[in-house]
């Protein structure tokens, strides 16, 4: 921005202040300070650069300095005037920032919850580089603590994404204490890099990636998938740091008919509650046995048991349930029931 682009009215009254105050050494009056603050706010709202405004004030100070003024008085007067101008400028800028933050937060809420007029939503999203006519995918990261947009973790991850990808129509924000990244569906490398950096920044947090979806409603759906995947990972005890909803579709399919899943769990695994010590030890045995690919020695190590003790537990399960974990058909039924138990939180949760 050149000096010619600064309108004269932003320096209105400055020459009179120099003549009236610098010549006598008096301080600026309340009215003069108020006028400087008002002009500073106008300059900020108009978008003028602070460096250019300072240069113009210094040029005006040299041009209009009273011939008889003391240099110290002149500097003190200019300092008061510019300081008041800066106060108004900064106050207006803070107001703009607050308004922008509020508008951005409102957009994020509308996008992730799938609400609002689609036409207006698309226009608002365009300001932040999102083209809702394209498909997007959403990744969500959670750590041991909650994050908001002022948190250093969120700022660091955002700066790293910007440094790596520049203008790639990416929106990084926070929601419910989690980091959220929205990116075009064809730029899978963006979400992969976000997952890598978020995992490190959150000290080993977990990241879930929703499936690519089209339109504004698609962003909300992809976000819901990512959040549901994080919740699923907690219930199922998954250890992977990055999970993709597309790889776990079997779980929402199982959970869709809750009553059928409850019946399967209770009918198949309910008899385990008759065992001494209850169902939990035997259920944990099945968890370990299936998680290790039905390798008894590996499952025994995982449970800190001898292979003989593990084999005894498997036999006890067969006796109580009538299903043999070593039989392919029985194994499928038992493993599906075990997955259902994890999804439903049984037996800790009464069904």
């Amino acid at each position: 921005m050149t000096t010619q682009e600064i309108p004269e009215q932003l320096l209105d009254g400055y020459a009179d202040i120099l003549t009236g105050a610098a010549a006598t050494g008096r301080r600026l009056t309340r009215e003069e300070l108020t006028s400087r603050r008002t002009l500073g706010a106008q300059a900020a709202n108009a978008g003028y650069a602070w460096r250019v405004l300072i240069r113009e004030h210094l040029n005006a100070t040299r041009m209009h300095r009273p011939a008889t003024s003391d240099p110290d008085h002149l500097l003190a007067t200019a300092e008061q005037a510019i300081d008041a101008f800066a106060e108004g400028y900064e106050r207006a800028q803070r107001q703009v920032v607050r308004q922008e933050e509020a508008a951005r937060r409102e957009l994020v809420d509308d996008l992730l919850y799938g609400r609002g007029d689609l036409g207006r939503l698309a226009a608002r999203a365009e300001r932040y580089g999102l083209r809702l006519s394209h498909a997007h995918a959403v990744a969500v990261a959670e750590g041991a603590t909650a994050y908001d947009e002022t948190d250093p973790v969120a700022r660091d991850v955002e700066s790293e994404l910007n440094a790596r990808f520049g203008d790639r129509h990416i929106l990084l924000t926070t929601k419910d204490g989690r980091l959220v990244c929205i990116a075009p569906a064809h730029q899978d490398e963006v979400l992969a890099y976000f997952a890598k950096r978020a995992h490190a920044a959150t000290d080993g947090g977990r990241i879930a990636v929703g499936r690519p979806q089209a339109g504004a409603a698609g962003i909300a759906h992809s976000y819901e998938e990512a959040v549901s995947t994080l919740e699923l990972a907690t219930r199922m005890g998954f250890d992977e740091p990055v999970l993709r909803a597309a790889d776990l579709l079997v779980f929402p399919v199982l959970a869709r008919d809750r009553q059928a899943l409850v019946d399967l769990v209770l009918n198949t695994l309910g008899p385990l509650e008759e065992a001494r010590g209850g169902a939990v030890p035997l259920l944990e045995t099945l968890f370990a046995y299936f998680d290790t690919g039905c390798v008894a020695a590996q499952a025994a190590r995982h449970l800190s048991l001898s292979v003989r003790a593990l084999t005894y537990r498997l036999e006890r399960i067969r006796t109580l349930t009538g299903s043999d974990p070593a039989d392919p058909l029985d194994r499928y039924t038992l493993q599906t029931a075990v997955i259902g138990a994890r999804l439903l939180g049984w037996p800790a949760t009464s069904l």
Side-chain angles (χ1 to χ4, degrees), residues 108-120:
V108 167
D109 289 344
D110 289 347
L111 282 174
L112 299 185
Y113 290 139
R115 64 194 183 198
D117 177 78
L118 291 181
R120 290 187 63 250

Side-chain angles (χ1 to χ4, degrees), residues 47 50 53 62 68 80 98 110 147-148 239 268 272 308 347:
W50 178 242
L53 293 166
R62 286 192 293 268
T68 60
Q80 289 182 66
R98 284 194 293 269
D110 289 347
Y147 308 103
D148 59 31
D239 296 328
T268 305
L272 297 182
R308 182 177 178 180

Side-chain angles (χ1 to χ4, degrees), residues 57-236:
H57 275 82
L58 294 177
N59 289 338
T61 302
R62 286 192 293 268
M63 185 181 301
H64 299 292
R65 63 182 179 183
T68 60
S69 65
D70 180 275
D72 290 339
H73 291 167
L74 178 65
L75 290 176
T77 299
E79 180 181 5
Q80 289 182 66
I82 294 174
D83 186 66
F85 190 93
E87 182 182 346
Y89 186 94
E90 293 170 354
R91 186 180 299 166
Q93 277 203 322
R94 287 194 295 271
Q95 180 64 25
V96 170
V97 169
R98 284 194 293 269
Q99 291 173 346
E100 182 65 22
E101 288 176 345
R104 189 175 190 270
R105 173 50 56 189
E106 183 180 0
L107 170 67
V108 167
D109 289 344
D110 289 347
L111 282 174
L112 299 185
Y113 290 139
R115 64 194 183 198
D117 177 78
L118 291 181
R120 290 187 63 250
L121 192 59
R124 290 158 57 202
E126 189 77 26
R127 291 180 54 199
Y128 300 95
L130 296 181
R131 299 175 180 174
L132 300 189
S133 58
H134 298 171
H136 290 81
V138 181
V140 179
E142 66 178 3
T145 60
Y147 308 103
D148 59 31
E149 292 189 356
T150 65
D151 194 286
V153 169
R155 293 200 302 267
D156 289 347
V157 173
E158 183 173 27
S159 64
E160 289 175 349
L161 279 173
N162 290 336
R164 178 69 175 268
F165 298 106
D167 183 15
R168 287 283 198 96
H169 307 296
I170 305 166
L171 178 62
L172 192 140
T173 185
T174 60
K175 186 65 180 173
D176 296 331
R178 304 181 179 103
L179 304 181
V180 178
C181 183
I182 305 172
H186 67 280
Q187 296 179 9
D188 191 63
E189 69 277 12
V190 172
L191 294 184
Y193 187 74
F194 165 78
K196 178 181 177 181
R197 301 314 309 158
H199 178 67
T202 56
D203 295 326
R206 178 179 283 139
I207 299 88
V209 183
R211 288 181 296 164
Q213 305 283 348
I219 290 178
H221 187 62
S222 185
Y223 170 72
E224 290 173 0
E225 278 193 339
V227 172
S228 296
T229 299
L230 288 176
E231 296 170 350
L232 173 66
T234 299
R235 291 198 301 270
M236 298 298 294

Side-chain angles (χ1 to χ4, degrees), residues 230-249:
L230 288 176
E231 296 170 350
L232 173 66
T234 299
R235 291 198 301 270
M236 298 298 294
F238 293 149
D239 296 328
E240 294 85 348
V242 181
L243 299 165
R244 292 183 175 271
D247 299 332
L248 303 171
L249 292 177

